[in-house]
Structures are given as C-alpha cells and as structure tokens.
Amino acid sequence: MTSSRAAAEAPSEHPSTGTATTPVSREGLGALVVALAVLWQGIGTGVVGHVVAPEHSVLTTATAFLVAAVVGVAGWQLDGLRRGSRPRAAPLLARIGLRDLLLVNGVTAGAFGLFYIAATLIAPTAASVLEVGIGPVVVLLVTWRAFRHRAAAWAHPLLVLALSGTTATMILVEASRAGGDAGRLLLGTLLCLAAGICAVGVLLVSKAMASRGILAWEISAVRFHLVWVLGLALTVPGAVETGLAAGELAGIVLVGAAAIAGPILLLQWGVTLAKTLHAALLLACLPAVVLAADLVLGASFPLLVVAGVVGIVLVSVFSTVRDRREAAG
C-alpha cells in the first residue's frame, strides 16, 4: 500500500466521466456522493437493526455483498458493452494485479468481519463510533511520508478522534457499571480499531486503483467476493438446519440489497472520486445517521452520547466543506 500512497491522493481525470473535469469538481462530486452514501447506509443500518432478527444479521450482510458483487460484475459488463468492447475477466485481473486484488478483498472482509465480532462484545453504537472515528487520523498517518501534512491538517481529524473516543468511552463505562466483563469490552474495542484500519485500507486501495484508470464498476466486480463467500459459509448451514422459509430468505435478500448493497456500491464510486481524507471524515458521520434512524424508530440514547455524535458530524462536515472551498480558490 505504501508504494501507491502518492497515487492514491493524486488528482486524475476519472475515465468514466466521458468528459474532462477539473480535479476540484471531480473531488467535490466524490465528497457529495460519499455523503449521500453515508446517509443511505446509516438509514439502512437502522432499518436492518429493526426489521432483521439478530440471528440473521450476518446472513443478511453476506447476501447483500453477494448482490453487490453481482451488480458490480453486471455494471462492469454493461459499461464495457456501452463503450463498444466485450469486457473479459483476465485483462481486468491483470490490470488490477494479484496484490491489490487480494488486498482489497482482505481489507473489505476485515472491516466488516472484525466489526461484527466487535459488535457482539460491546454496544454496536460504541463499535460504530470507534471504527469510523479513527479513520481520518489513520489516513493522515498512512500518507504522512508522501505528503508531509501541515500541522493544521491534523486539527479536525484529531478532534473527530477525541469526540469518538469520548463518546465510545461513555457507552463502555456505562456497560461496565452494568456488569459488563472488562476483558470483553477491551477485546471489542481493539477489534473495532482493527476494523477501522481495514476500512481505511479500503479507501486507500480503491483510490490507488482509480488513479490507474480502474473504474468503480471494475473495483466492485472484484472486491466483495471474500466477504460473501465467508459469510454464506458461516450462515447457510445454520439456515438450512433451522429450515429458513423461502419467503423469509427473499425478504432478507431484499432488505440487504436495498439497505446494504445499494449504499456500498454508491460509496465505492464516491471514494474513487473524493479526496481520501474527505471520504474518511464523511464516513465518521455514519454513527450519527444510524443513531438518528434509531431515534426515529423509537430507540433512546443518553443526551451526552447524542451530543458526541452530533459534534463529530459538525466537525467532519465543516472540515470537508472548508477544505473544498479553499481548493476551489
């Protein structure tokens, strides 16, 4: 990953636009797409949490990523046919390279797999805040040698990290007071941080691929396979054993496609266009959207937790908008 850090952040004309655009407008569009994907994903996560039984959550995610993989392959094929070519797997895999192919599948599986394990050990809200809250700082750390970020660039990412850590700590302290096992809480926290690092890996590898002319459809066509294979391998035997009805399975697939696969595909497009730091900052807003959806659906949260996630949103959005305005001149 380190060899492609500069490429991951360097502006380049995106091949799928069809017309030349300035780096500023391209990155601005990417930030908007990421923001819309985060909004969609946050609402979808809240819906999944309320309409999908806990024992079917992993199955729902696995089928959603299978749908995303199928849609990615279909989109790649249709885009190629539109351009007058017949896309084949071998040339695409050669362009991507075995290293990046394995890396993008591995970090995708790590981000989602580690998060789901963590969410069984600590409160999902705390897990979500921790996972995405470290993203902006990790982006700066990983790209520091290539870009030598100014001291001012660290202010908002560090503030997001501080707000995320404080919010998660409040939730974890309350869980500990309620009798939560300290070992489980610590392990869950560490797994969340590992999931957040993997999520940053997805951003950086996707951006590096895009800088080499690989389209979002093409990345989506190869990125999700390890997740759905592992997910179905873990859940299908249990679903068969319990006699999951066809109608219930169809409902799981539909919910997963609408609430998970759709925003993930939109997010994939956005991160290939947006500046990686902006994508990480906007992703840090995801817990706030999930929390808002939960509140609308009848859940309740401590006021300080709500204030913490609102603060993350304000800092993240302000930082991204200010940076875009400065880039625009």
Side-chain angles (χ1 to χ4, degrees), residues 224-236:
F224 303 111
H225 298 292
L226 182 59
V227 176
W228 72 259
V229 168
L230 291 177
L232 291 185
L234 291 172
T235 56
V236 167

Side-chain angles (χ1 to χ4, degrees), residues 155-157 159-160 163 281 310-320:
H156 292 123
L159 184 53
V160 167
L163 287 169
L281 283 166
V310 169
I312 294 169
V313 172
L314 292 177
V315 174
S316 298
V317 172
F318 172 79
S319 179
T320 303

Side-chain angles (χ1 to χ4, degrees), residues 135-148:
V137 168
V138 173
V139 167
L140 292 181
L141 287 172
V142 172
T143 61
W144 182 83
R145 289 181 62 186
F147 295 98
R148 296 293 195 274

Side-chain angles (χ1 to χ4, degrees), residues 76 86-97 214 218:
W76 161 54
R86 187 176 180 182
R88 298 184 182 276
L92 173 61
L93 296 179
R95 288 168 55 216
I96 292 174
I214 299 171
E218 294 172 325

Side-chain angles (χ1 to χ4, degrees), residues 8 10 12 48 51-52 83 88 95 117 137 150 172 178 199 219 231 268 274 280 288 309:
S12 61
V48 168
V51 304
V52 176
R83 296 171 181 276
R88 298 184 182 276
R95 288 168 55 216
I117 296 172
V137 168
R150 295 174 303 164
L172 295 176
I219 299 173
Q268 180 65 76
V309 294

Side-chain angles (χ1 to χ4, degrees), residues 109-123:
F112 288 91
L114 293 174
F115 173 79
Y116 272 109
I117 296 172
T120 66
L121 300 173
I122 64 176

